Every structure is written in structure tokens, then in C-alpha cells.
Amino acid sequence: MSRQITGAVIEELNAPFKLETLEVDDQPKAHEVLVHIVASGICHSDEAVRNGSAGDYAYPGVVGHEGAGIVEKVGSSVTTVKEGDHVILSYDYDGTCRHCLTGHPSSCINWGKLNFAGVRPDGSVAFTREDGSPIHNFFNQSSFTTETLVQERNITVIDKDIDLRKVGPLGCGFVTGSGTVFNGLNPKEGTTIAIVGTGAVGSAALMAAKIKGCSKIICVDIHDSRLEMAKELGATDTINSLNEDWVDKVHEITNGEGVDFAIDTTGISAIMHQAITALASGGHLAPIAVTAKTLEFMPWNEITALQKHVDGVLMGDAIPQIGIQTLIDFWQAGEFPFDKLEKFYTFDQVNEANKASNDGSVIKPVMVIDQDYVPGE
């Protein structure tokens, strides 16, 4: 059995998103959940799939991985989710490997297969065109749809009084940026941090650094509007790297030492290398952008002799069902005002919203897919 839905399809490399009538399997398998999507954030990783910088992808497909919605059906073995639950969607993991069992599901041995293969765990597709031809998924989620099939572990259940239009981006961009601080780098109170790129991920890292009590939170960008928002969110210093040498400025701000921690969200080779130079001795850099660019350095002179570190942190090393709820708690306490960064679009504005994300004019575009949704109902 299947039902007709609407999905934003990428037909081939660099093709625009196109809304199409698709069919989704209407009978969830044992560990699956059918979710009605209310809204979905647009993340740079969606664009990275569309333009190929995220690596190989099996087009045609539907991306989107910051979905929020309402559960319609659950599979026979699902125990943590029920029909009618309000949920946020994040990444999938197997839950059984040694990394998952020790609290690091983003390091799951099967992470790549589960999230990037474009099919369900059993190899079948969730979506087809009316002629039966396959449409591949993404993050085992594909939230650029009116309904989608996900695995139980993709889901975090939230209170029904929370506005589903706002919270989808907590499933990727915001949990990635904040988790890189909370879990990956874990700065002590009074340490210093530079955040390069103040989009959604960088802004989330900024808010987390403020919560952690960093004494210097230095934000670097080329957009004055984003830097103004960074100040509002808690940046102690901002640098427009179009106007001055940001590494020199970082050293000036830190009395010549450099920062204890740096996060790069640009994925640009030269800037990632500059971030290493901006570190103090013993400092840590987390380059977390989805990029095809490379980072080159001299291991002895630039890393070993100064005891610097380059840390890989995927999805903020967060357990979604814990990390997402933590961010909601901080948000409700006024400490993580992520919704200041959002701008709503309708589903048919998907290409406009994606362009706004890419050109930096909007920090976090969110598509409200169900225009009839009323918060709290």
C-alpha cells in the first residue's frame, strides 16, 4: 500500500528542487514510523548534496534532514513513539555497535550506510514516482516532503505545546554547532574560542560557548548583519574578515596568545588553515563544514611542536534524543534563542529559501510545509 505525497525532488547533480507528486510506503515496517511533516529547516548539507560537494549521491532523490512533524503510523516493533506524537527528526544510527553503546551514536559503525545510502536499512526505497521508478532518501529522513518514513531512532518526541514550525533545525544545524562546543570541545569556563562563520551552525556554537562561560567568544564573518546578530547572541568580539586580518585581530584580542578553541564552519581551505594559526599552544580546532575542500598543514611545525589539535566532530557528537531536548530546555529558559535566526517560507518557495541560505541573507530558512498547522493543537 502507498499514499500520494508531495516531495521536492533533485533530479540530477545541480538541478533545482522540483515539487512532484510521489508515493510513499503507507505501511511502516517493524521499526519504522510514518511522519506528517509540518516544517523543515534548510541546511547547507542539503545544498551540498544538490551540488555534489557532499560526495556521491544516487539521484533522483529527496533531501531535507531538519524535519518536525506529527506521527501518523508506527511499525509493529516501535516502542518509544506512538501515533499523534509531535517529533523532531535527526540522524539514524544502529544503536548496537560499540560507539552507540558508549554514548557516541554519531560515530556509529553503520552511520554512513544508514544516513547516506539513499535507501531504507533493508535496501528498499521509501518513495517512488507514480510509474514506480525509485526516489532516494537522505539521512533516512527526507523531510522535504509532506509525509516521510523514518526509523524509530531518527525521532525525538517533544511536548505538543511546542511550535513545530520552529524546532526542526534543532535536529541538525543547531545540535551540530552547540554539540561541537558541549561535547566535542567542552571548553572550561574562562577559556577563549573563535567561531569562523556565523550561520546557523556557528551561531549555535556561539550560544553554547556563552552557556559554557567562555571569557572571549570571537566571531568572524564577511556579513555585517550576521556579526550584529552574533553580538546580540553573546559574542564578546566580532571581526569582518573582509576588512582586516582576522588572525592578527584574534591574537590582539587574546594578548598575543591565540584562542584555546576554534570552530570553522566555512569549509574553505585557506580559512581552515588560518584557524590553526589562530590557536594558542595546546589549542583545538574543529573544522565541521560539509566540504570537498582540503586542509593542509605541516604536522611538526604547525601541530606537534605547539601541541595543537584538529578534532573531527560529527553532528556535535550528540545523542539526538538527549541533545535536542537539552536545547529546548535552554531555549525555554531564554539561553538559546535559536528562533531569532529563522525565517519562514512556504514549500513552493524551496529554491528561494535555499538561495537565501547559500548567499547568507538568511541564517536559517525554514519551510512551513503544512500551512494548516496550528501550534498547540
Side-chain angles (χ1 to χ4, degrees):
M1 296 288 292
S2 63
R3 70 168 68 181
Q4 286 192 336
I5 64 169
T6 301
V9 176
I10 304 173
E11 184 64 31
E12 58 188 5
L13 181 67
N14 285 319
F17 296 100
K18 181 181 178 183
L19 296 189
E20 293 188 31
T21 298
L22 304 175
E23 296 190 356
V24 66
D25 190 340
D26 194 33
Q27 300 299 316
K29 296 181 180 180
H31 294 284
E32 289 183 332
V33 180
L34 183 68
V35 178
H36 169 76
I37 298 295
V38 169
S40 177
I42 290 184
C43 178
H44 173 72
S45 298
D46 299 315
E47 171 62 14
V49 171
R50 193 192 69 83
N51 68 26
S53 60
D56 294 336
Y57 179 75
Y59 307 101
V62 175
V63 294
H65 58 288
E66 293 184 342
I70 302 170
V71 173
E72 294 194 349
K73 292 184 179 182
V74 300
S76 59
S77 297
V78 172
T79 60
T80 62
V81 184
K82 64 183 183 300
E83 291 181 17
D85 278 347
H86 288 206
V87 299
I88 296 173
L89 306 182
S90 191
Y91 67 85
D92 192 16
Y93 54 97
D94 66 28
T96 59
C97 75
R98 62 187 178 93
H99 298 300
C100 289
L101 293 175
T102 54
H104 301 281
S106 64
S107 295
C108 176
I109 291 172
N110 291 304
W111 201 93
K113 177 182 178 182
L114 291 171
N115 291 284
F116 284 95
V119 294
R120 296 146 92 179
D122 67 358
S124 64
V125 293
F127 309 108
T128 60
R129 286 192 165 114
E130 293 177 279
D131 63 4
S133 59
I135 300 292
H136 296 93
N137 68 7
F138 182 60
F139 254 58
N140 216 357
Q141 181 188 142
S142 294
S143 59
F144 288 4
T145 50
T146 51
E147 281 83 25
T148 191
L149 269 179
V150 302
Q151 300 299 305
E152 184 176 7
R153 289 194 178 94
N154 283 96
I155 286 179
T156 296
V157 179
I158 63 172
D159 290 343
K160 291 183 179 180
D161 59 353
I162 293 173
D163 190 344
L164 286 170
R165 297 172 301 175
K166 295 183 177 182
V167 294
L170 295 175
C172 181
F174 294 143
V175 81
T176 292
S178 62
T180 299
V181 175
F182 290 143
N183 308 314
L185 299 178
N186 193 20
K188 293 182 179 179
E189 184 177 2
T191 54
T192 58
I193 188 168
I195 299 165
V196 190
T198 55
V201 173
S203 296
L206 153 61
M207 290 184 281
K210 182 181 179 183
I211 292 169
K212 290 289 287 183
C214 290
S215 62
K216 293 290 184 183
I217 305 172
I218 306 168
C219 290
V220 184
D221 208 303
I222 60 173
H223 299 283
D224 285 333
S225 60
R226 290 191 174 197
L227 293 172
E228 286 301 316
M229 176 57 71
K231 290 178 183 177
E232 184 176 336
L233 296 175
T236 61
D237 302 89
T238 58
I239 306 168
N240 187 319
S241 56
L242 290 178
N243 301 331
E244 57 187 323
D245 186 312
W246 74 269
V247 176
D248 285 349
K249 187 66 176 179
V250 164
H251 280 92
E252 177 186 327
I253 293 168
T254 57
N255 297 317
E257 290 192 20
V259 286
D260 300 309
F261 301 96
I263 296 174
D264 176 77
T265 70
T266 72
I268 299 170
S269 296
I271 295 176
M272 289 188 286
H273 186 264
Q274 289 167 356
I276 291 177
T277 308
L279 291 175
S281 295
H284 291 252
L285 165 66
I288 57 175
V290 178
T291 180
K293 305 296 184 182
T294 59
L295 170 58
E296 298 182 5
F297 52 80
M298 298 173 65
W300 173 258
N301 287 355
E302 296 184 273
I303 301 294
T304 305
L306 297 170
Q307 299 194 83
K308 295 182 180 182
H309 310 262
V310 178
D311 301 334
V313 186
L314 178 63
M315 296 297 302
D317 193 23
I319 302 170
Q321 291 75 16
I322 297 174
I324 290 172
Q325 184 57 55
T326 297
L327 294 183
I328 290 174
D329 292 343
F330 280 132
W331 172 47
Q332 292 177 325
E335 297 182 86
F336 196 84
F338 66 88
D339 50 335
K340 289 184 177 182
L341 310 174
E342 296 179 336
K343 180 179 178 180
F344 290 166
Y345 293 81
T346 58
F347 198 10
D348 59 1
Q349 293 176 310
V350 55
N351 288 295
E352 178 184 341
N354 189 56
K355 181 178 182 296
S357 176
N358 294 334
D359 66 21
S361 58
V362 176
I363 294 179
K364 176 53 67 176
V366 176
M367 290 188 299
V368 179
I369 294 172
D370 181 355
Q371 292 291 319
D372 295 325
Y373 165 76
V374 178
E377 294 187 0

